[in-house]
Amino acid sequence: MAIPFNTNILNDNTVGLVGISSHQAGWRDLFWFHNPHPVYVEGPRNIGTGAGRLQRSPLMQQFTGHTAVMSRLQGQINFVRGFVPYGFVATMSMLTHWALPILPWGREVAGHWQNDLAMAGDPTCASIEIQVGQGIANGFQNWVFNHENSINRYSLQDSDAIGSFNCVAAAETLLLDFLYGNQIVTANISDFENILFYYGNVSQGSLMRMIVSLPGRI
């Protein structure tokens, strides 16, 4: 079960991160049904156990998992945007380097931001969201559009979150920049940054473990 696309709560306005798990399965299931490793502290969260590949969305990102920034306005998710390799050549170059790390190309490629609203329908989708005012949630989309070009180099495995980013590092960095740049409730910013640095890092698995182990709202 994915996160609710609409909570039908008019004062539910948030900004945050949304993530989907990499598709994990065993030979018994012929790599078809999602069977996550039991390292998650799930609590009340459902992380899509048993979901088939054709139920997953976006189809491509399910193989590595994916993270994006998001906002919710008056209960409804209105914006999801994530960082990916830019174009077919960059994607194939990155994937070949991932498969054969000795190759001299593909460690870092051009990257860009894309509309990832489809993630909200993925059965493994989970979010961690910060309650903000309606005006702040409403302005998040334009702020991202105006600042996302500062992150434009993609590195799947060797992200340093300074000059090159994978989807996790890019989403975390952009969201924290927004929170600090807009001076949003100091306690929330500190709590969120501490959560990211203490529980997670720039790997998708660590981020998903963090998200599903914590409350959906902070």
Side-chain angles (χ1 to χ4, degrees), residues 65-208:
H66 192 45
T67 298
V69 294
M70 59 85 68
S71 61
R72 186 185 295 274
L73 188 63
Q74 294 185 310
Q76 181 169 318
I77 296 175
N78 69 317
F79 182 65
V80 182
R81 197 155 177 87
F83 189 60
V84 295
Y86 189 20
F88 178 80
V89 173
T91 300
M92 294 309 298
S93 177
M94 180 268 299
L95 288 174
T96 54
H97 177 80
W98 172 74
L100 295 169
I102 62 172
L103 293 177
W105 67 82
R107 180 181 176 207
E108 183 181 298
V109 298
H112 77 133
W113 293 81
Q114 68 178 17
N115 179 354
D116 276 321
L117 193 61
M119 287 175 62
D122 188 280
T124 75
C125 188
S127 67
I128 182 165
E129 303 177 40
I130 298 174
Q131 295 283 170
V132 296
Q134 182 176 335
I136 292 172
N138 191 42
F140 184 59
Q141 177 172 322
N142 283 339
W143 187 95
V144 169
F145 287 150
N146 289 332
H147 292 82
E148 63 182 27
N149 287 339
S150 63
I151 296 175
N152 56 22
R153 300 300 297 172
Y154 187 96
S155 180
L156 180 63
Q157 293 177 299
D158 301 310
S159 166
D160 60 14
I162 300 173
S164 63
F165 300 79
N166 60 14
C167 62
V168 177
E172 290 178 351
T173 300
L174 203 63
L175 180 60
L176 287 173
D177 284 351
F178 173 79
L179 295 174
Y180 278 110
N182 289 275
Q183 300 180 338
I184 298 169
V185 189
T186 304
N188 273 4
I189 296 174
S190 299
D191 289 347
F192 190 69
E193 187 171 37
N194 289 336
I195 286 169
L196 289 178
F197 289 153
Y198 185 80
Y199 290 98
N201 55 34
V202 297
S203 74
Q204 185 70 32
S206 294
L207 181 85
M208 293 304 294

Side-chain angles (χ1 to χ4, degrees), residues 16-31:
L17 300 176
V18 63
I20 60 175
S21 294
S22 59
H23 199 98
Q24 303 165 54
W27 284 107
R28 184 188 66 180
D29 298 314
L30 299 178
F31 296 100

